[in-house]
Amino acid sequence: MIKDLILIIIGSAIVNNVVLSQFLGLCPFLGVSKKIDTSAGMGAAVIFVITIAAFVTALINKFILVPLDLTYLQTIVFILIIAALVQFVEMFLKKSIPSLYESLGVYLPLITTNCAVLGVALNAVQYEYNILESVIYGFGISVGFTIAIIILAGIREKIEYNDIPESWQGMPIVMVTAGLMSIAFFGFSGII
């Protein structure tokens, strides 16, 4: 049992990184990754939202949708749960850490539409994970997202001091960097 959970967390965080191998959650990945502090804050918010969303969606799926044969409503119900959780996180950050709330800007509400959050909930159902496995999977995916966004932010901070041709400045060099990161993470595919 513990071995399976460790494989789930390593597989979801590193081997099958949600951003670099599944290409889910690219909007905040590319938009918020300008500074390490902001990226770490976004990563923490995503860890909280995805882990809690995985738990709540697994509960609702197991105890409400499946017994009542309403599995065709999974996507709609999961979206509503995710939207409510993001609103909770947004209110908490606005009240507790206003500087982080301001620095995340429009990207915090975008967690609601972040396909990585919905992808975790739907994948956990598709993989037939139980509630604990769903939570571990969600936590692993969100940690993988955080690792990727912080690495990209660190690289982007260093790139600012480099002499880059004008046509490659901005998003082109970021896309090339993200592609190279994806190739690097592909090297972990033999682990599991």
Side-chain angles (χ1 to χ4, degrees):
M1 178 69 174
I2 297 293
K3 177 184 168 188
D4 294 336
L5 296 177
I6 291 171
L7 288 175
I8 288 172
I9 199 165
I10 290 172
S12 59
I14 297 174
V15 177
N16 297 314
N17 187 286
V18 70
V19 177
L20 300 173
S21 70
Q22 298 176 24
F23 305 112
L24 297 175
L26 288 176
C27 184
F29 176 69
L30 296 173
V32 182
S33 61
K34 292 179 182 172
K35 300 287 179 200
I36 291 177
D37 295 342
T38 308
S39 297
M42 179 59 129
V46 167
I47 287 172
F48 178 78
V49 169
I50 288 183
T51 305
I52 299 299
F55 175 69
V56 174
T57 55
L59 282 176
I60 289 177
N61 188 58
K62 181 175 181 166
F63 295 114
I64 296 174
L65 298 179
V66 171
L68 297 176
D69 197 27
L70 298 173
T71 54
Y72 59 90
L73 294 174
Q74 283 173 337
T75 304
I76 294 169
V77 170
F78 292 173
I79 289 172
L80 292 174
I81 291 167
I82 292 163
L85 287 170
V86 171
Q87 288 300 313
F88 172 72
V89 170
E90 191 171 2
M91 290 186 307
F92 175 78
L93 288 178
K94 190 174 186 179
K95 195 76 133 169
S96 302
I97 314 171
S99 60
L100 179 59
Y101 174 79
E102 291 296 324
S103 66
L104 291 175
V106 71
Y107 294 102
L108 185 59
L110 282 177
I111 295 176
T112 303
T113 59
N114 185 342
C115 52
V117 183
L118 181 60
V120 167
L122 293 174
N123 281 344
V125 169
Q126 182 182 4
Y127 299 154
E128 298 179 0
Y129 286 154
N130 62 35
I131 294 171
L132 177 62
E133 291 171 336
S134 295
V135 171
I136 295 296
Y137 177 69
F139 180 74
I141 287 286
S142 56
V143 166
F145 175 87
T146 304
I147 290 169
I149 197 170
I150 289 174
I151 290 172
L152 184 62
I155 293 171
R156 285 180 78 172
E157 284 184 0
K158 298 293 182 190
I159 285 176
E160 287 182 24
Y161 302 109
N162 293 334
D163 186 26
I164 298 171
E166 187 177 339
S167 61
W168 284 91
Q169 291 177 2
M171 197 51 66
I173 195 68
V174 172
M175 296 297 284
V176 169
T177 304
L180 292 172
M181 286 176 58
S182 181
I183 291 169
F185 270 70
F186 181 71
F188 293 117
S189 62
I191 290 176
I192 296 179

